[in-house]
Amino acid sequence: MRMSLTPWQTFCLLFIFQLGTTIVFGFAGGAKQDAWLAALISTLIGCGVVWCIAKVYEQHPKHNWVAILKLTFGSWVGHLLAMLYILALIYEAGRILRDLGELMTTFLLPRTPIGFSMFLVLVLVVYAANAGIERMARLAEVSIWFIFIFLLLLLALLLSSGVNNFGWLLPMATDWKHIAVTVFPLGLTTTFGETIVFAMMWTLTVGPKDFRRSALFSSLAVGLVFILLDLIAVGTLGPQMFSRALYPLLSTFQLIRVADFIDNLDPAVVSIFITGGMFKVFAYAYAACAGIAAQWHIRDHRAIVVPVGTMILLTAIYTAKSISSHIFVGLKWVPWVIELPLFVMLPIVVLAIGTVKKQLQSSQPGGKP
């Protein structure tokens, strides 16, 4: 297939995707004052997971994830695994859409029904999926500067407000059990393992080596952002409030007060969150469409964009009765049942099988070295 993106565009898409809604809920809040340390460990191990995912692309440079599963496990098993991935992509997209709906209802449109708010977001996502990955990559090039500039501005204003107490970061590394539980599996799966989503469409992005570099650099950059934000959030809210707040980073930026003039910056902060969330829903929706098209040999993915969008909206509406149940399932159930086996373990297994097959082929008489 034709490569349609540049390495920089791929980096921008991956960075905003990995930032996603994780920035809304904070990263590694369960580790309290050691959240930054949990974020650091998650980044280091997560980059290893991303490297494994990228190496699979290097082994199969002409195939997407559906074809790779069939080549690795055979037609029947590969078909069933591909179906599981497609359903998981739709479910995850619905969960992220619900995150955005809850956020908009709480801070921007309190009198608007959450279903209608999510429908508005989904209309934009369906339009973007119909337009294709090239246009979204161009938009990502612009959006990444918007995110960087606003985050730097907000951090500067927060530090200027005099509400920080970095003594709350001490003592460090006192509870390794909570750090370990925070890192595994949630710290690996929620951001870094989700890079497997691009396997459904990586043949439309860049070549394998450029994809690997873009993915690793974006993972490192996202990890550094999480570490910095965790340090500042804990140093502003304190470890107890940081671990208990539903939207800890938003609560942190709400404390901005400069000269009794600059305050109430919630819309700017929420805009950053929504931008990352929309790109994440788009990536999941587009990947689901690409997977379905590859699974049933549909030439144009646009024929199934609206049905997939409808399933995502229904998932967002009916999979959780309240925000508390939605958060509980996302933290306690989804990482273990869906993300760890499908986003982390199976790609590593595919890489291992592909490596063994390559070595066996090269060791046979007449095989390529």
Side-chain angles (χ1 to χ4, degrees):
M1 290 186 179
R2 179 176 63 90
M3 305 298 176
S4 57
L5 305 184
T6 65
W8 169 246
Q9 288 175 329
T10 305
F11 169 86
C12 293
L13 270 177
L14 283 163
F15 177 85
I16 300 177
F17 170 82
Q18 290 177 322
L19 201 64
T21 52
T22 306
I23 195 174
V24 178
F25 298 100
F27 192 89
K32 298 182 179 179
Q33 71 266 23
D34 293 321
W36 69 272
L37 182 57
L40 174 62
I41 297 172
S42 297
T43 301
L44 295 176
I45 302 176
C47 284
V49 174
V50 172
W51 180 87
C52 291
I53 293 171
K55 288 296 289 184
V56 175
Y57 184 20
E58 293 184 32
Q59 290 181 345
H60 306 276
K62 297 182 180 179
H63 302 287
N64 71 354
W65 191 241
V66 171
I68 292 171
L69 289 173
K70 293 180 180 180
L71 288 172
T72 305
F73 299 104
S75 179
W76 284 99
V77 176
H79 180 85
L80 292 175
L81 288 174
M83 281 296 303
L84 285 177
Y85 271 95
I86 291 168
L87 292 174
L89 293 174
I90 293 173
Y91 176 75
E92 292 278 4
R95 287 193 55 81
I96 299 164
L97 183 61
R98 181 60 177 262
D99 290 337
L100 296 179
E102 295 286 355
L103 187 67
M104 293 171 67
T105 300
T106 303
F107 294 100
L108 294 181
L109 304 170
R111 297 184 180 181
T112 303
I114 187 173
F116 185 71
S117 299
M118 293 190 295
F119 173 76
L120 293 177
V121 174
L122 192 66
V123 168
L124 296 176
V125 171
V126 167
Y127 173 80
N130 190 69
I133 194 171
E134 292 181 59
R135 294 186 182 180
M136 286 303 295
R138 295 192 199 107
L139 182 60
E141 285 185 286
V142 178
S143 300
I144 196 170
W145 296 113
F146 162 78
I147 292 172
F148 270 128
I149 292 171
F150 267 80
L151 277 179
L152 289 175
L153 179 61
L154 289 169
L155 290 175
L157 290 173
L158 182 64
L159 293 175
S160 302
S161 300
V163 294
N164 310 104
N165 178 12
F166 291 104
W168 275 324
L169 294 168
L170 300 174
M172 293 189 299
T174 57
D175 192 342
W176 282 99
K177 180 179 179 180
H178 276 87
I179 294 174
V181 170
T182 303
V183 171
F184 187 87
L186 193 62
L188 300 181
T189 59
T190 301
T191 296
F192 305 104
E194 289 178 300
T195 306
I196 191 64
V197 169
F198 282 81
M200 289 291 187
M201 51 189 172
W202 54 24
T203 53
L204 298 173
T205 58
V206 291
K209 292 184 179 179
D210 285 333
F211 181 86
R212 183 184 65 193
R213 283 192 287 266
S214 298
L216 287 175
F217 282 135
S218 68
S219 298
L220 286 172
V222 166
L224 290 174
V225 170
F226 288 150
I227 292 169
L228 177 62
L229 291 177
D230 281 349
L231 285 169
I232 293 177
V234 174
T236 303
L237 298 176
Q240 296 298 331
M241 185 177 294
F242 175 74
S243 64
R244 295 174 182 175
L246 182 58
Y247 303 112
L249 292 176
L250 184 56
S251 300
T252 300
F253 290 127
Q254 284 178 327
L255 297 177
I256 292 176
R257 297 288 187 278
V258 179
D260 294 325
F261 175 68
I262 300 177
D263 59 4
N264 296 325
L265 297 178
D266 292 5
V269 181
V270 173
S271 297
I272 297 175
F273 295 165
I274 292 177
T275 300
M278 286 185 61
F279 270 95
K280 199 156 191 172
V281 179
F282 159 76
Y284 272 107
Y286 191 87
C289 293
I292 292 171
Q295 183 83 321
W296 282 281
H297 306 289
I298 300 172
R299 290 188 176 182
D300 194 346
H301 77 280
R302 290 177 291 185
I304 51 178
V305 167
V306 173
V308 168
T310 303
M311 287 188 286
I312 291 172
L313 180 61
L314 293 176
T315 300
I317 294 174
Y318 293 110
T319 53
K321 295 181 179 179
S322 63
I323 182 63
S324 58
S325 64
H326 174 71
I327 298 298
F328 176 82
V329 171
L331 294 178
K332 303 297 183 181
W333 185 79
V334 173
W336 289 101
V337 178
I338 296 178
E339 295 175 346
L340 183 62
L342 294 182
F343 295 173
V344 177
M345 296 177 64
L346 198 57
I348 294 175
V349 171
V350 170
L351 176 63
I353 293 174
T355 302
V356 171
K357 285 183 177 181
K358 186 176 180 179
Q359 291 177 348
L360 291 176
Q361 290 174 355
S362 63
S363 64
Q364 292 176 353
K368 294 182 179 181

